[in-house]
Amino acid sequence: MQVRELMNSSVVTIDPGESAALAARLLSRHNIGSLPVCSADGHLLGIVTDRDIVLRCVAAEEDPKLLPVKAIMSRRPQALSPEDDVRQAARLMSGQQVRRLPVVEKDRLVGMVSLGDLAKCGKYEMEISKALTDISENVKRV
């Protein structure tokens, strides 16, 4: 099964110049944990997560209204192609310790795929279980 069959193509993104405060509002409004950071033409530049906002902005005592997303985002995130196999997605999530990955085609963001998306398909339970275990163990160590 290919990633394109499971990915969510309705992705909320943010411009790198927007504030961390706006990123937090978007995360809350859409009930998501990460936002792809994209240029005006759709090129993936990075990812900003709720954790990035807490650790790199709030805990660092920065003003979220003034701090741009580009200052706290993770640059050059791992990404998948829509043609990649779902098992590759699970392995990449496990290796990168993430629950979501952007899907890029011809250098443009076309979707996101999450561990939850993989679980919903009802296949590849071993790969999904390993990815979730690896991610959860990393969280416990932090």
Side-chain angles (χ1 to χ4, degrees):
M1 177 177 283
Q2 291 183 323
V3 168
R4 86 166 57 255
E5 297 172 58
L6 299 177
M7 72 181 196
N8 180 350
S9 57
S10 298
V11 182
V12 179
T13 65
I14 193 164
D15 182 272
E18 295 291 350
S19 71
L22 175 60
R25 286 193 306 275
L26 288 171
L27 290 169
S28 175
R29 182 178 302 137
H30 296 282
N31 193 30
I32 53 178
S34 65
L35 285 171
V37 181
C38 295
S39 62
D41 60 358
H43 283 85
L44 180 66
L45 304 173
I47 293 278
V48 65
T49 66
D50 46 6
R51 191 166 194 264
D52 293 330
I53 294 168
V54 170
L55 298 179
R56 297 176 182 167
C57 180
V58 177
E61 298 183 3
E62 298 285 349
D63 185 342
K65 291 182 233 161
L66 301 177
L67 190 67
V69 167
K70 65 183 169 193
I72 61 171
M73 72 182 189
S74 298
R75 298 175 191 283
R76 294 184 290 279
Q78 290 289 320
L80 295 163
S81 161
E83 290 80 32
D84 284 338
D85 189 295
V86 171
R87 286 174 284 226
Q88 170 63 18
R91 283 191 294 272
L92 197 52
M93 287 178 194
S94 177
Q96 294 295 312
Q97 303 289 302
V98 296
R99 288 180 165 86
R100 298 162 204 85
L101 287 169
V103 182
V104 175
E105 187 171 45
K106 297 179 185 170
D107 295 325
R108 295 202 186 331
L109 182 73
V110 294
M112 290 286 284
V113 67
S114 71
L115 207 52
D117 296 330
L118 301 184
K120 286 180 198 173
C121 83
K123 298 180 182 180
Y124 316 113
E125 291 174 16
M126 293 293 290
E127 292 89 344
I128 295 165
S129 177
K130 179 178 178 354
L132 186 56
T133 300
D134 290 347
I135 293 165
S136 297
E137 285 178 358
N138 187 46
V139 170
K140 289 178 191 174
R141 285 186 238 137
V142 174

